[in-house]
């Protein structure tokens, strides 16, 4: 079973690489502002997890250079996920809320909706 999961995972990553979505193009000032906001975010993930691939593809479509943290092979990231989020489950987006508190968001669909609402493709400079 472990071998099948490994092969399928690598196949998913290969397909993701072959069919990488194109990124939205934004005004450079807007993109710079987004990059600054992204410094307080990190996605805890496993490379071959299909749900993590789903979030990485959304980030790519939205032109977001999220920090990816491997919670499978990196013991420190795994421990940070457990201590901060409360469980070893991926994908998990760690972000800072408007009050400056760190939040931990699970579930790929919820994360994707959050990223889309926070960084819409048609975001204009303010």
């Amino acid at each position: 079973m472990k071998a099948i999961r490994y092969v399928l995972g690598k196949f998913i990553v290969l397909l993701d690489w072959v069919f990488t979505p194109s990124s939205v193009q934004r005004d450079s000032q807007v993109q710079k502002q987004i990059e600054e906001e992204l410094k307080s975010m990190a996605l805890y993930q496993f490379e071959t997890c299909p749900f993590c691939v789903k979030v990485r593809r959304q980030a790519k479509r939205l032109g977001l250079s999220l920090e990816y943290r491997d919670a499978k092979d990196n013991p420190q990231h795994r421990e940070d996920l457990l201590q901060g989020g409360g469980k070893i489950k991926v994908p998990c987006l760690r972000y800072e809320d408007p009050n400056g508190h760190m939040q931990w968001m699970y579930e790929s669909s919820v994360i994707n909706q959050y990223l889309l609402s926070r960084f819409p493709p048609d975001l204009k400079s303010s």
Side-chain angles (χ1 to χ4, degrees), residues 72-88:
K72 184 175 184 181
D73 296 324
N74 184 311
Q76 183 60 56
H77 291 164
R78 189 176 185 86
E79 184 61 25
D80 292 346
L81 177 59
L82 180 60
Q83 293 303 313
K87 54 188 168 184
I88 305 293

Side-chain angles (χ1 to χ4, degrees), residues 32-100:
K32 186 176 178 181
Q33 177 185 350
I34 289 171
E35 297 298 326
E36 196 59 37
E37 289 182 49
L38 291 172
K39 289 180 181 177
S40 67
M41 295 181 148
L43 181 70
Y44 289 80
Q45 49 107 40
F46 298 164
E47 178 190 29
T48 59
C49 165
F51 300 104
C52 297
V53 169
K54 179 180 172 183
V55 175
R56 291 194 308 258
R57 290 178 67 81
Q58 175 78 319
K60 173 71 173 157
R61 272 190 294 278
L62 294 173
L64 307 177
S65 55
L66 281 172
E67 177 185 353
Y68 298 123
R69 296 187 175 176
D70 183 354
K72 184 175 184 181
D73 296 324
N74 184 311
Q76 183 60 56
H77 291 164
R78 189 176 185 86
E79 184 61 25
D80 292 346
L81 177 59
L82 180 60
Q83 293 303 313
K87 54 188 168 184
I88 305 293
K89 181 179 175 188
V90 293
C92 180
L93 181 68
R94 188 208 65 188
Y95 66 98
E96 192 174 315
D97 70 17
N99 298 322

Side-chain angles (χ1 to χ4, degrees), residues 93-111:
L93 181 68
R94 188 208 65 188
Y95 66 98
E96 192 174 315
D97 70 17
N99 298 322
H101 299 105
M102 282 301 169
Q103 300 294 322
W104 299 78
M105 180 183 294
Y106 292 94
E107 301 299 330
S108 60
S109 295
V110 173
I111 294 169

Side-chain angles (χ1 to χ4, degrees), residues 3-14:
I4 292 171
R5 192 175 294 157
Y6 175 81
V7 170
L8 283 175
K10 291 297 181 180
F11 184 68
I12 289 169
V13 170
L14 174 66

